[in-house]
Amino acid sequence: MSDTPVVTRFAPSPTGFLHIGGARTALFNWLYARGRGGKFLLRIEDTDRARSTPEATQAILDGLTWLGLDWDGEATSQFEAATRHAEVAHQLLSEGKAYKCFSTQEEIAAFREQAKAEGRSTLFRSPWRDVPEAEHPDAPFVIRIKAPQDGEISIQDAVQGEVTWKAETLDDMILLRSDGTPVYMLAVVVDDHDMGVTHVIRGDDHLANAARQSMIYTAMGWDLPTFAHIPLIHGPDGKKLSKRHGALGVEEYAAMGYTPSGLRNYLARLGWSHGDDEVFTDAQALEWFDLSGIGKAPARLDFKKMENICGHHIAMSDDKVLMRDIEHYAANDMQQNLSQTQKDKLAEALSVLKGNSKTLGALLDKAHFILGSRPFTPDEKAAKQLNSVSRGILKELTPHLQTATWSREMLESVLNDFAASKEMGFGKLAGPLRAALSGRAVSPSVFDMMMLIGQEETLARLEDAQGT
RNA sequence: GGGGUGUUCGUCUAGUGGUCAGGACAUUCGUCUUUCCAACGAAAAGCAGGGGUUCGACUCCCCUACACCCUACCA
C-alpha cells in the first residue's frame, strides 16, 4: 500500500478507566494502522508514579478489549524506559543542546508570581543557559533543552494544517528533573522514536506540546512523525467532558447496553466523516478511514444518536457476535449469568429479537418471555391488559389453540378467525394474549412468541393468566 | 498576561468562489400495525457578528465575540 509501514500508538495514562475520549483516540489510531496493514501499539504512560495504578492499567486494557481494539505485541511501560530517556537527555547535554539549570522551584515560582502581578509574561528564562561548567555550583539541577531563541517553530499537522509559534514564546523546557527522572515531554518523544511510530494521532490538547516536542526531535536529529491532533469530545452541553456528565468510561457505555461495534461506529463518526455514510461495518471503516476526513471542531456526545447507530448494529450483527455481547452484558452489567438453556433459547429467538432493539437492555427486555419462567407475573402495563373481560376472551380462545396445528400460518388464521367471530379488532385480542405470554406490554409478535415457546407452554401460560 | 486552535439546522456532519446549502439523529405531524418496541412518510430547522477582496462569498483576508487547549521538576 505504502512504502513505509504505518505504526500508530495509543498512550494512555493509567490514572483511571478508559475515557470515552481516549477510546475514540485509540479507535482512530487502530483504524489508521489496521486499515493500512500497519501496527497499532499500546504504551502505558505511567511515569507519574503517584497517580498510576495497576488497576487503572487493567481497566484500560479491559476497555480496549471490550471495544474490540487489539494492539500489537505487549503493552509497554513508559516508566520502565526511564534510563533510556535519561540517556537521551545526557546526550543532548554533552552535545551542548541542553544545559544544567540550578534555579530552584522556589525561585521560579517567585518569578512567575511577580511576572503575573506585573502583567508580564510568565515565561521563565533560566540564567544558567550559558553559564560555563566551571562556574556550576554543587547543587541539585534539572536539565533543560536549549530552545531556539529566535525565528519560528512550525509543525505540519495532518488535521490542523501548518501551525506556527514564535520561538520567543517557547521556553527552555525541562527534560530531566532534579531527581534524574525524565519528564513526560521527553519520554514521549524518545518512546515514539524508539518504537518507530510514524503517525502520532492524539487529542489536540497536545497540539501546543508538539512544538516543544519537535525541538527534541530536531536536537536529536530524528525525523518527525506525522502529527494528527484531533479535537476533543465534549459533553452534550458543549462543555468539556467532566465527572458531572457521568458516563466517562467505556464500561459505562457497556453498562448502558451499547454494543462494541455500535460504539465503534458512533465514535468513528464523531469528528470524522466519509461523505454521508452514517452506518457502516468495520470493514468499511477500515477501508474509508483517513486523516483527511477528520474535522477540526470539537464534537458533542449525543446519546440518542448513539442509540440509533447501536440499534442498526444490533440488527445487522452476526448472531455469534451478538450472543457474546449479550452474555457479556448480562454477566457484567446485570449480574445475571445466563444459563445454558437460556442461551439456547436466546439463540433460537435472536432473529426476531434483534430487528428492533436499540440496546442490549431493550433486547433482553423483549426476551423476557423466553428468559423467564412460569408463572409470569405481569408488569404494570401488562396487568392492565388482563382484566376480567380479556381473561374471558383468553379462556374462550384456549380450546381453539388446543386443537390447532402449530404452524405460523395456522395460528394466524385461528387467531384472525377468532377475533372476527368476536367482532373485535385483532389488537383487542393480541394485547391480552401478549400480556399472558410474556407478562409485558412490549414483546415480539404474538405469533413469533407462540412459535418459539410451543403449544404446550402457550396453553400453560394462558391457563396461568386466567387463573388469577 | 502570553501563545495556539476552533465556530454550517438543537446535535453529528457534507460542502473548498456560482448548490433551492445535502444527509443522519433528535423534534413535530402523519401512515401502518399485533405492541407506549420497532418500521415507514412528511414537515420544520443552519452558514456566530462585522468589515473587506470579488461580477459573485459558507468557502479567501482582517477584526470582534464566544468556546477550548498550552503556558508545571502532571501526563
Side-chain angles (χ1 to χ4, degrees):
Chain A
M1 210 177 248
S2 103
D3 340 73
T4 41
V6 166
V7 179
T8 66
R9 48 66 160 186
F10 177 55
S13 304
T15 54
F17 38 62
L18 177 62
H19 193 277
I20 186 74
R24 189 190 56 153
T25 303
L27 174 65
F28 280 17
N29 277 286
W30 181 84
L31 284 171
Y32 193 73
R34 291 273 181 268
R36 270 151 246 272
K39 282 193 185 324
F40 170 62
L41 308 176
L42 181 58
R43 181 175 73 228
I44 306 297
E45 308 220 314
D46 51 358
T47 55
D48 184 343
R49 304 314 287 165
R51 292 196 296 159
S52 300
T53 67
E55 292 74 30
T57 301
Q58 194 52 51
I60 290 168
L61 263 41
D62 290 347
L64 288 172
T65 302
W66 176 80
L67 234 204
L69 307 184
D70 57 325
W71 55 93
D72 290 295
E74 291 290 307
T76 58
S77 153
Q78 185 161 68
F79 173 71
E80 286 170 13
T83 318
R84 157 99 257 244
H85 304 149
E87 184 185 305
V88 170
H90 281 103
Q91 181 183 335
L92 256 16
L93 182 63
S94 67
E95 289 173 0
K97 291 169 179 163
Y99 62 94
K100 295 178 181 177
C101 168
F102 296 87
S103 296
T104 65
Q105 292 188 61
E106 292 71 40
E107 283 167 17
I108 300 172
F111 162 81
R112 289 218 172 93
E113 218 164 291
Q114 197 186 339
K116 199 163 207 169
E118 293 170 9
R120 287 183 292 112
S121 163
T122 57
L123 200 77
F124 177 70
R125 295 272 174 223
S126 170
W128 299 95
R129 177 166 166 134
D130 298 309
V131 175
E133 182 92 38
E135 292 169 38
H136 283 358
D138 180 22
F141 60 87
V142 299
I143 295 182
R144 309 185 93 108
I145 193 166
K146 280 188 185 168
Q149 294 184 304
D150 44 54
E152 298 184 326
I153 291 191
S154 70
I155 63 159
Q156 200 58 44
D157 192 282
V159 173
Q160 311 286 344
E162 184 177 25
V163 187
T164 306
W165 292 262
K166 291 193 185 69
E168 67 241 38
T169 63
L170 268 12
D171 64 357
D172 290 346
M173 67 171 167
I174 292 174
L175 262 20
L176 224 53
R177 301 188 184 94
S178 52
D179 64 359
T181 60
V183 125
Y184 161 78
M185 213 69 79
L186 171 66
V188 196
V189 172
V190 176
D191 284 349
D192 282 341
H193 173 265
D194 289 359
M195 293 163 84
V197 173
T198 59
H199 297 258
V200 173
I201 304 169
R202 67 213 323 184
D204 72 4
D205 49 336
H206 287 289
L207 181 58
N209 289 337
R212 300 190 177 79
Q213 291 168 197
S214 76
M215 299 191 301
I216 302 178
Y217 280 100
T218 308
M220 287 301 289
W222 292 339
D223 287 338
L224 266 81
T226 298
F227 288 112
H229 289 94
I230 63 180
L232 268 17
I233 298 178
H234 286 178
D237 57 0
K239 297 288 185 197
K240 193 185 162 187
L241 227 35
S242 70
K243 291 214 173 64
R244 97 198 128 76
H245 289 107
L248 289 176
V250 293
E251 72 280 349
E252 290 171 83
Y253 292 84
M256 284 186 265
Y258 297 111
T259 62
S261 76
L263 197 56
R264 280 199 295 275
N265 188 155
Y266 175 75
L267 248 24
R269 195 61 190 61
L270 207 55
W272 171 81
S273 61
H274 181 264
D276 285 335
D277 295 304
E278 300 283 350
V279 179
F280 39 77
T281 63
D282 285 331
Q284 288 171 313
L286 253 6
E287 187 189 332
W288 294 339
F289 187 81
D290 193 26
L291 267 21
S292 62
I294 300 175
K296 293 180 167 193
R300 302 181 189 199
L301 242 23
D302 181 345
F303 290 87
K304 283 283 205 287
K305 184 144 190 173
M306 205 184 291
E307 237 172 61
N308 181 278
I309 300 275
C310 188
H312 281 103
H313 275 264
I314 286 179
M316 66 194 203
S317 200
D318 174 79
D319 282 6
K320 277 206 187 90
V321 174
L322 187 54
M323 271 307 291
R324 194 203 58 203
D325 290 342
I326 292 171
E327 284 173 41
H328 181 283
Y329 173 75
N332 288 272
D333 305 305
M334 303 196 68
Q335 264 100 23
Q336 176 195 340
N337 279 305
L338 298 172
S339 69
Q340 192 53 50
T341 4
Q342 284 179 313
K343 287 180 199 170
D344 292 346
K345 286 180 176 174
L346 214 40
E348 231 180 304
L350 220 45
S351 59
V352 309
L353 290 170
K354 71 182 191 183
N356 51 9
S357 307
K358 292 187 172 180
T359 63
L360 295 177
L363 188 148
L364 247 27
D365 254 6
K366 274 206 170 148
H368 184 250
F369 78 98
I370 212 163
L371 259 20
S373 51
R374 294 181 44 223
F376 281 79
T377 24
D379 66 10
E380 200 179 329
K381 284 168 186 167
K384 279 186 194 156
Q385 295 286 342
L386 293 169
N387 52 38
S388 53
V389 180
S390 62
R391 281 204 186 96
I393 293 172
L394 291 181
K395 186 165 193 150
E396 284 188 62
L397 172 68
T398 305
H400 293 85
L401 291 177
Q402 276 164 339
T403 56
T405 312
W406 218 249
S407 75
R408 193 176 169 113
E409 300 69 43
M410 222 30 207
L411 290 174
E412 274 178 29
S413 80
V414 166
L415 289 192
N416 279 314
D417 290 352
F418 180 79
S421 76
K422 293 282 151 199
E423 288 184 338
M424 60 181 175
F426 188 52
K428 279 266 192 285
L429 173 59
L433 182 53
R434 176 187 317 286
L437 293 177
S438 67
R440 297 286 159 90
V442 173
S443 78
S445 123
V446 291
F447 298 111
D448 284 333
M449 289 195 286
M450 287 190 287
M451 288 309 294
L452 251 8
I453 63 179
Q455 184 169 26
E456 195 183 328
E457 180 72 11
T458 298
L459 293 170
R461 290 186 190 186
L462 281 180
E463 187 82 9
D464 291 343
Q466 290 163 46
T468 39

